């Protein structure tokens, strides 16, 4: 092991990296990723890609194998976490405003991950940017869900649209959007009930809400605490939305809101798992339970924490 | 639950090893690697997985000394006993006592299912003949009291809480006093979600515990929590005397390995699991019978009576 780690240039000045040089290093790096809460499957795939990239390549002068491999992994992680598409919510809201349409965001995800709380934080953030916000209470199932939002809207001073419990959430969302347009709201934030990705009736109901209302943005709310399950959550939420889209339209997860970031310290791996699986960017991270606790993802910082 | 699926994976790994003509160091390593990967995929804490590997290796080496032993058998047995000890801590859960006011306090991370689970727990024990009552000592989360109230109303369980009092310890104390006087025999205290990074919230939990002097503290953990589970659970245990674990949201696809970390960190047994949002989606859990059911899945016969 020490021999390969210290392998330096040969007489001709360059060495070609071989599988046997690289593998033990990548195995250790994979373990590091897993200990940082990256899903095992994702960690394996990432190191496999790095392996195929570096094996056969030439080692730069005076570089250790371990350094070269780590650098390659760093690049791979940065690439995965850097969004292909950039979501600029404020710009998109402005564009809708010019057309006289309210911009709508639907918050979806599993039970208890922080949808309603972070929806309230997003409302606060939008208000700071001078937007007129309405919140639509489309979790008509869970006890206290409506009162939870009422408390937030009263504190924030925004309008709540609610029809109580046991109503069809898709219909409540439709009514809310209509009312928001009449009232000249800039943004409608739609709260939905938590659900498990394998719960077929609930996934269909969610798809119906999205298909009938075509929101401008579908945000998947996931928690940084989640482990390997992140893979299955993102895969299934995304694929059910796509599969259940009506002909001529495709709805999928547009972006991710990653919550409870403040509870994981250096175990930031869920961010990587979720982005890797869905290809959707992390739009916000939730870093606490106060309205101001919303941040942008700092890719460089996460990559360095993952490799630390 | 994690071990149910693991059972078959582990059997697969052991069988693979069984086909090797000689069970040498290499075969053992390959087998242990396969098992370790399965455990990590189920969210078992990576340090616990390492420990399992080391322990099995050590046990096998010691047994090696006695010549003529069946190596595969030794390895199987070592793996199995390590898994059992992960699931089955040394401590027994608190047994509710009839004829006295049992006070049970629920704690855990944000959104892990405490409030829902309190109601399920009350309901399950009501059906066993107890008279439960619930207290909302969560003054933080928006709508927390309404949630508990609505749950209790549906389940026909008396509740106590306040919209104006801001000190959860004061509410908890007043609620417990009142329900004790009214001779309820199961008094359940629901608390806010919290995590170890917030000292003030942990201090608050300690104050509530001090105020109500619970007979049992239940740590509720979401079955999908990953590598952070161990440290969080340990921090709870260090602050208040956790005595039992309930794992929630196992109706999803989650394998619940993070919960094993919670068992290890709190040295407390899992007493129930949550399998849905509805009040009756709740199953009693007994580590020992779970393990023996697991035996039925594989080639484990013959280890049990040892
Ligand atoms: N520490 C921390 N807690 C959070 C964060 N976001 C939400 N929470 C807490 O997580 C718990 C659950 O939040 P909710 O917003 O009710 O979650 P939800 O996804 O709407 O839950 P359901 O509607 O029941 O599925 C609450 O106690 C929140 O205060 C965060 O970024 N950090
Ligand atoms: N699918 C499923 N959902 C569950 C289960 N247990 C709880 N939930 C859901 O998880 C979400 C959070 O549950 P709560 O009971 O509010 O969690 P909590 O721990 O009290 O949350 P805080 O008080 O904010 O910390 C709700 O949507 C519940 O319906 C379960 O076993 N399965
Ligand atoms: Mg909600
Ligand atoms: Mg609660």
């Amino acid at each position: 092991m020490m021999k390969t780690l210290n392998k330096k240039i040969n007489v001709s000045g360059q060495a070609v990296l071989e599988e046997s040089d690289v593998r033990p290093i990548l195995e250790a790096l994979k373990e590091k990723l897993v200990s940082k809460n990256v899903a095992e499957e994702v960690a394996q795939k990432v190191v496999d890609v790095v392996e195929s990239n570096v094996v056969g390549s030439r080692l730069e002068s005076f570089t250790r194998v371990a350094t070269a491999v780590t650098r390659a992994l760093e690049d791979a992680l940065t690439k995965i976490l850097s969004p292909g598409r950039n979501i600029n919510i404020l710009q998109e809201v402005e564009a809708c405003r010019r057309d006289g349409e309210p911009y709508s965001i639907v918050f979806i995800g599993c039970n208890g991950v922080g949808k309603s709380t972070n929806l309230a934080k997003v409302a606060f953030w939008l208000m700071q940017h001078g937007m007129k916000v309405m919140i639509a209470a489309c979790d008509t199932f869970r006890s206290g869900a409506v009162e939870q939002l009422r408390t937030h809207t009263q504190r924030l001073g925004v309008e709540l649209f609610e029809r109580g419990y046991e109503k069809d959430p898709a219909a409540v969302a439709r009514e809310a959007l209509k009312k928001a347009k009449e009232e000249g709201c800039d943004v409608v934030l739609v709260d939905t009930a938590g659900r498990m990705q394998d719960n077929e009736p609930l996934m269909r109901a969610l798809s119906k809400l999205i298909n009938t209302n075509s929101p401008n943005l579908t945000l998947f709310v996931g928690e940084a605490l989640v482990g390997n399950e992140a893979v299955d959550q993102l895969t299934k939420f995304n694929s059910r939305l796509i599969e259940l889209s009506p002909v001529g339209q495709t709805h999928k997860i547009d972006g991710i809101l990653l919550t409870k970031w403040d509870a994981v310290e250096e175990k930031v791996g869920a961010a990587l798992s979720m982005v890797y699986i869905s290809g959707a960017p992390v739009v916000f991270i939730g870093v606490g339970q106060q309205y101001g606790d919303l941040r942008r993802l700092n890719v460089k910082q996460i990559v360095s924490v993952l490799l630390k | 639950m994690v071990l149910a699926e693991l059972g078959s994976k582990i059997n697969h790994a052991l069988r693979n090893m069984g086909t090797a003509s000689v069970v040498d160091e290499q075969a053992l390593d390959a087998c242990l690697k396969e098992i370790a990967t399965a455990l990590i995929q189920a969210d078992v804490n990576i340090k616990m997985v390492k420990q399992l590997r080391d322990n099995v290796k050590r046990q096998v080496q010691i047994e090696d000394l006695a010549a003529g032993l069946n190596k595969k058998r030794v390895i199987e047995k070592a793996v199995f006993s390590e898994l059992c000890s992960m699931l089955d801590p040394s401590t027994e859960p608190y047994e509710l006592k009839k004829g006295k006011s049992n006070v049970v306090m629920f704690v855990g991370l944000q959104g892990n299912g405490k409030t829902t689970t309190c109601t399920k727990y009350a309901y399950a024990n009501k059906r066993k003949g107890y008279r439960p009552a619930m207290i909302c000592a969560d003054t933080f989360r928006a709508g927390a009291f309404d949630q508990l109230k609505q749950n209790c109303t549906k389940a026909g369980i008396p509740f106590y809480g306040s919209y104006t009092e801001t000190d959860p310890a004061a509410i908890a104390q007043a609620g417990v006093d009142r329900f004790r006087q009214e001779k309820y025999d199961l008094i359940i205290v629901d608390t806010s979600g919290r995590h170890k990074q917030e000292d003030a919230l942990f201090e608050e939990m300690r104050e509530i515990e001090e105020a109500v002097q619970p007979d049992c503290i239940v740590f509720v953990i979401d079955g999908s929590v990953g590598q952070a589970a161990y440290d969080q659970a340990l921090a709870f245990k260090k602050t208040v005397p956790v005595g039992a674990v309930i794992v929630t949201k196992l109706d999803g696809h989650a394998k619940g390995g993070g919960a094993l970390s919670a068992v290890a960190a709190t040295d407390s047994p899992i007493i129930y699991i949550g399998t849905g949002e509805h009040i009756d989606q709740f199953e009693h859990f007994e580590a020992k019978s779970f393990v023996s059911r697991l035996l039925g899945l594989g080639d484990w016969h013959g280890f049990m009576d040892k």
Side-chain angles (χ1 to χ4, degrees):
Chain A
M1 182 79 177
M2 275 321 283
K3 221 174 104 206
T4 50
L5 283 174
N6 290 318
K7 182 171 178 173
K8 283 193 192 152
I9 49 165
N10 59 15
V11 193
S12 70
Q14 285 187 320
V16 173
L17 287 171
E18 285 165 31
E19 202 180 279
S20 56
D21 301 330
V22 170
R23 184 133 315 153
I25 299 169
L26 279 173
E27 229 157 74
L29 287 170
K30 178 194 160 187
E31 193 173 305
K32 191 176 277 185
L33 292 179
V34 168
S35 74
K36 299 282 163 60
N37 202 34
V38 175
E40 192 276 338
E41 183 187 331
V42 173
Q44 187 62 53
K45 282 183 177 151
V46 173
V47 298
D48 284 349
V49 167
V50 172
E51 182 179 307
S52 67
N53 285 346
V54 296
V55 169
S57 69
R58 283 183 188 283
L59 199 58
E60 277 172 47
S61 306
F62 303 109
T63 318
R64 286 181 177 194
V65 181
T67 313
V69 173
T70 308
R71 220 175 268 159
L73 179 61
E74 195 178 331
D75 289 345
L77 296 175
T78 307
K79 214 189 252 164
I80 293 166
L81 286 165
S82 304
R85 55 204 138 118
N86 231 327
I87 297 177
N88 188 326
I89 294 179
L90 295 174
Q91 252 171 35
E92 291 183 17
V93 174
E94 282 299 340
C96 278
R97 193 190 240 173
R98 283 193 291 273
D99 299 337
E101 290 289 334
Y103 183 83
S104 53
I105 308 177
V106 176
F107 293 72
I108 66 172
C110 296
N111 302 90
V113 293
K115 294 174 294 301
S116 310
T117 307
N118 286 279
L119 174 146
K121 295 183 204 169
V122 171
F124 177 73
W125 175 75
L126 288 165
M127 289 170 71
Q128 286 181 317
H129 288 88
M131 304 293 176
K132 187 174 175 196
V133 179
M134 176 188 274
I135 291 176
C138 298
D139 177 353
T140 60
F141 172 75
R142 205 208 71 218
S143 302
V146 176
E147 289 78 5
Q148 182 180 13
L149 287 182
R150 185 175 300 132
T151 306
H152 286 308
T153 52
Q154 280 170 354
R155 285 186 198 152
L156 292 168
V158 305
E159 187 178 346
L160 175 69
F161 185 92
E162 56 105 348
R163 285 286 176 265
Y165 293 94
E166 285 164 29
K167 298 291 181 320
D168 173 17
V172 179
R174 195 171 53 237
E175 280 180 60
L177 286 168
K178 189 164 159 265
K179 185 145 187 264
K181 187 172 176 175
E182 285 163 13
E183 295 185 0
C185 291
D186 301 311
V187 187
V188 181
L189 303 178
V190 180
D191 190 30
T192 65
R195 68 202 74 218
M196 290 291 166
Q197 68 272 22
D198 281 323
N199 189 321
E200 188 57 19
L202 293 184
M203 290 307 287
R204 282 184 180 272
L206 179 66
S207 176
K208 180 183 166 195
L209 184 151
I210 291 174
N211 293 338
T212 54
N213 293 292
S214 291
N216 298 86
L217 191 68
T218 300
L219 274 188
F220 178 85
V221 183
E223 58 173 41
L225 286 160
V226 72
N228 284 270
E229 187 66 355
V231 172
D232 199 63
Q233 286 182 2
L234 267 296
T235 307
K236 288 188 180 143
F237 264 88
N238 217 9
S239 66
R240 286 322 274 148
L241 288 187
I242 293 168
E243 286 155 16
L244 296 168
S245 294
V247 188
Q249 276 184 49
T250 310
H251 295 293
K252 58 174 170 32
I253 293 170
D254 297 313
I256 296 167
L257 198 162
L258 197 54
T259 66
K260 307 186 192 174
W261 193 257
D262 50 317
V264 297
E265 288 171 8
E266 84 286 5
K267 296 191 172 69
V268 296
L272 187 78
S273 307
M274 290 190 191
V275 172
Y276 183 88
I277 293 296
S278 66
V282 174
V283 183
F284 292 110
I285 55 175
V287 297
Q289 305 187 83
Q290 309 292 336
Y291 292 124
D293 291 335
L294 210 53
R295 300 279 182 279
R296 301 286 184 182
L297 189 79
N298 183 336
V299 173
K300 216 172 150 180
Q301 194 192 338
I302 293 190
V303 171
S304 89
V305 171
L306 284 172
L307 293 174
K308 202 171 70 191
Chain B
M1 183 66 195
V2 47
L3 287 181
E5 270 175 64
L6 268 179
S8 59
K9 284 193 184 168
I10 289 164
N11 274 310
H12 180 261
L14 289 170
R15 252 199 318 275
N16 268 358
M17 184 185 62
T19 57
S21 50
V22 253
V23 181
D24 52 11
E25 185 94 14
Q26 211 183 345
L28 174 61
D29 280 343
C31 169
L32 286 177
K33 192 175 173 198
E34 198 177 330
I35 292 173
T37 305
L39 289 166
I40 286 169
Q41 285 172 340
D43 291 322
V44 176
N45 187 277
I46 194 158
K47 288 189 198 126
M48 287 165 66
V49 174
K50 266 206 189 115
Q51 208 171 46
L52 178 140
R53 268 171 106 152
D54 292 347
N55 287 353
V56 170
K57 283 189 101 164
R58 190 170 331 114
Q59 241 167 298
V60 172
Q61 247 159 32
I62 291 165
E63 303 270 352
D64 252 359
L65 299 175
L69 266 173
N70 182 337
K71 256 193 190 165
K72 283 172 207 159
R73 254 356 223 179
V74 173
I75 294 168
E76 283 176 7
K77 204 167 151 183
V79 170
F80 181 66
S81 76
E82 284 297 312
L83 288 173
C84 285
S85 70
M86 263 189 204
L87 192 69
D88 196 3
S90 50
T91 54
E92 292 293 322
Y94 173 75
E95 297 280 348
L96 296 181
K97 292 175 190 69
K98 291 250 156 127
K100 85 163 231 180
S101 292
N102 300 275
V103 177
V104 181
M105 172 174 163
F106 282 66
V107 300
L109 293 165
Q110 289 93 346
N112 277 219
K114 292 173 296 300
T115 306
T116 310
T117 303
C118 279
T119 325
K120 290 176 173 182
Y121 181 80
Y123 183 72
N125 283 298
K126 189 178 166 185
R127 293 176 62 166
K128 284 192 199 156
Y130 286 93
R131 285 180 70 227
M134 282 170 56
I135 300 165
C136 176
D138 178 355
T139 54
F140 180 80
R141 172 165 163 182
F145 186 30
D146 288 293
Q147 182 185 8
L148 183 134
K149 230 166 146 174
Q150 289 171 20
N151 279 345
C152 285
T153 307
K154 278 184 213 157
I157 294 162
F159 55 86
Y160 182 87
S162 166
Y163 286 111
T164 48
E165 172 62 64
T166 52
D167 176 7
I171 295 178
Q173 171 119 54
V176 169
D177 288 350
R178 152 113 152 256
F179 288 134
R180 261 189 215 281
Q181 241 166 34
E182 295 175 6
K183 300 269 182 281
Y184 284 93
D185 55 7
L186 176 56
I187 304 172
I188 296 165
V189 183
D190 183 24
T191 63
S192 305
R194 64 195 83 233
H195 55 58
K196 76 184 179 83
Q197 287 81 1
E198 288 258 25
D199 292 342
L201 297 182
F202 264 50
E203 173 56 20
E204 177 196 281
M205 171 170 70
R206 211 192 47 71
E207 283 166 12
I208 301 172
E209 189 256 339
E210 203 172 84
V212 303
Q213 305 275 322
D215 297 293
C216 177
I217 298 180
V218 178
F219 180 69
V220 175
I221 183 159
D222 181 328
S224 72
V225 177
Q227 291 293 325
Y230 187 89
D231 293 345
Q232 289 290 352
L234 189 64
F236 275 86
K237 175 74 174 190
K238 280 187 174 159
T239 309
V240 292
V242 171
V245 173
I246 295 182
V247 192
T248 63
K249 310 187 198 176
L250 285 173
D251 46 322
H253 164 273
K255 303 196 179 61
L260 292 193
S261 312
V263 170
T266 62
D267 196 24
S268 304
I270 299 171
I271 53 170
Y272 285 96
I273 60 174
T275 56
E277 294 190 74
H278 294 282
I279 195 164
D280 55 352
Q281 291 174 322
F282 198 50
E283 293 170 27
H284 186 68
F285 187 85
E286 221 188 300
K288 287 199 176 62
S289 83
F290 184 85
V291 169
S292 59
R293 259 192 291 154
L294 176 74
L295 299 182
L297 290 173
D299 222 351
W300 301 110
H301 302 281
F303 294 153
M304 264 313 260
D305 15 38
K306 276 245 154 181

